Amino acid sequence: RMEYQNIILEKEDYLAVLYINRPRALNALNKDTLAEIRDAIQNVSSDEAIKVLIVTGAGDKAFVAGADIAYMQPLSAVEGREFSDYGEKTFRMFELIEKPVIAAINGFALGGGCELAMACDIRLAADNAIFGQPEVGLGVIPGFGGTQRLPRLVGEGRAKELTYRANNINAEEAYRIGLVNHVYPAGQLMEEARKMAGEIASKARLAVGFAKFAIGKGMQVDIDTAMSIESDMFGMCTSTFDQKEGMGAFLEKRKPAFQGR
Ligand code: CO8
């Protein structure tokens, strides 16, 4: 098992919490941190007990203040392309694991930090969170998926304005434009994230995963292909114990006892 220097992975019961843990650099992402994040996602993915993953930043100031500028400054073209690709593929893993990922955004979510949050399924923000894509002010563009996920989340016009102006926005504005699902007082953020994780974990685990798969794949393809992905996943659900149990419990007017199979 990999020894983590830049992240912390905690597990309690059905929940895993991944802390990006470089508070000295406001949790900025360098290559080692990305490598550890990959390892943690693989760990969570293969751990059957874990039903939900929460991603947050260590300390009380930052979620993630971006990719590490000191690391990127001297990069060559080949190295820059490779670092962008490495980060993109790392964040894509959050979308590909068949378990919900909740970002608990507890401060600065800038550049690569905003991009990390956007790769999660659900975004919850502390009221002091700050979002932005400052890249063009540094002579680069968002390179960890931001040029693609931001327009998908908030629409092309708003994504272009945020990207070209490179201005920061607060949690309230992020909520208004649909970048985050909810805003909570900073002191309550983790409690609310855990509450949501608990609600999700009480449902049929495989159905939640199949729903994530159907939404994720379906959003990338034409509507007819998307519908057939949905019916395939619906068929997968009817192959599970939990579907017989869930519908059986309804018909028998009792609470379901899901087993996650
Ligand atoms: N990279 C490296 N170090 C950082 C970063 C960062 N992104 N952000 C903060 N730090 C460091 C600071 O250098 C400082 O270190 P030190 O104490 O050694 O001087 C420490 O963290 C604390 O930061 P500040 O003293 O600046 O704290 P403030 O409270 O004054 O300011 C801010 C907080 C406003 C968040 C400020 O730190 C800041 O503006 N940070 C940079 C934000 C930024 O521009 N992020 C985007 C980076 S670009 C990016 O993410 C591209 C992603 C795509 C990559 C594609 C691959 C090629």
Side-chain angles (χ1 to χ4, degrees), residues 1-205:
R1 179 174 172 163
M2 189 173 186
E3 280 286 329
Y4 298 140
Q5 309 296 327
N6 305 288
I7 65 169
I8 299 167
L9 182 62
E10 280 178 6
K11 292 182 181 177
E12 14 177 322
D13 196 8
Y14 55 79
L15 179 65
V17 183
L18 169 62
Y19 296 87
I20 312 303
N21 184 34
R22 293 180 73 213
R24 297 163 274 109
L26 302 185
N27 303 326
L29 302 168
N30 57 18
K31 204 157 174 202
D32 290 343
T33 309
L34 292 173
E36 293 179 15
I37 291 172
R38 283 184 179 208
D39 187 84
I41 299 172
Q42 256 150 12
N43 179 310
V44 166
S45 174
S46 59
D47 185 340
E48 275 215 11
I50 299 299
K51 294 182 181 169
V52 183
L53 172 63
I54 294 174
V55 183
T56 191
D60 53 14
K61 212 174 148 183
F63 175 68
V64 168
D68 191 318
I69 297 171
Y71 176 82
M72 290 184 290
Q73 200 273 341
L75 295 185
S76 69
V78 168
E79 290 163 344
R81 182 170 186 256
E82 198 227 12
F83 186 53
S84 171
D85 179 72
Y86 192 77
E88 286 169 352
K89 287 186 173 139
T90 305
F91 290 1
R92 183 83 176 114
M93 290 170 70
F94 287 114
E95 294 179 326
L96 294 176
I97 63 166
E98 285 182 30
K99 299 182 186 194
V101 182
I102 299 171
I105 303 148
N106 58 320
F108 291 109
L110 300 177
C114 190
E115 294 173 294
L116 169 52
M118 289 192 287
C120 298
D121 295 306
I122 295 167
R123 278 156 296 285
L124 310 181
D127 55 5
N128 63 347
I130 300 283
F131 299 82
Q133 297 292 160
E135 283 87 348
V136 298
L138 296 159
V140 293
I141 63 171
F144 289 163
T147 63
Q148 303 311 308
R149 290 196 183 95
L150 191 57
R152 284 166 171 77
L153 275 169
V154 305
E156 196 177 326
R158 287 190 174 113
K160 285 177 170 171
E161 182 183 331
L162 280 166
T163 305
Y164 302 166
R165 288 175 76 185
N167 59 311
N168 289 348
I169 59 171
N170 62 21
E172 195 187 332
E173 175 68 357
Y175 175 74
R176 197 185 68 80
I177 66 174
L179 185 56
V180 301
N181 297 41
H182 301 278
V183 179
Y184 300 111
Q188 287 165 31
L189 177 68
M190 280 311 284
E191 184 190 322
E192 293 291 343
R194 284 170 198 276
K195 204 187 289 176
M196 185 179 286
E199 272 175 47
I200 296 170
S202 74
K203 311 301 182 199
R205 175 179 74 91

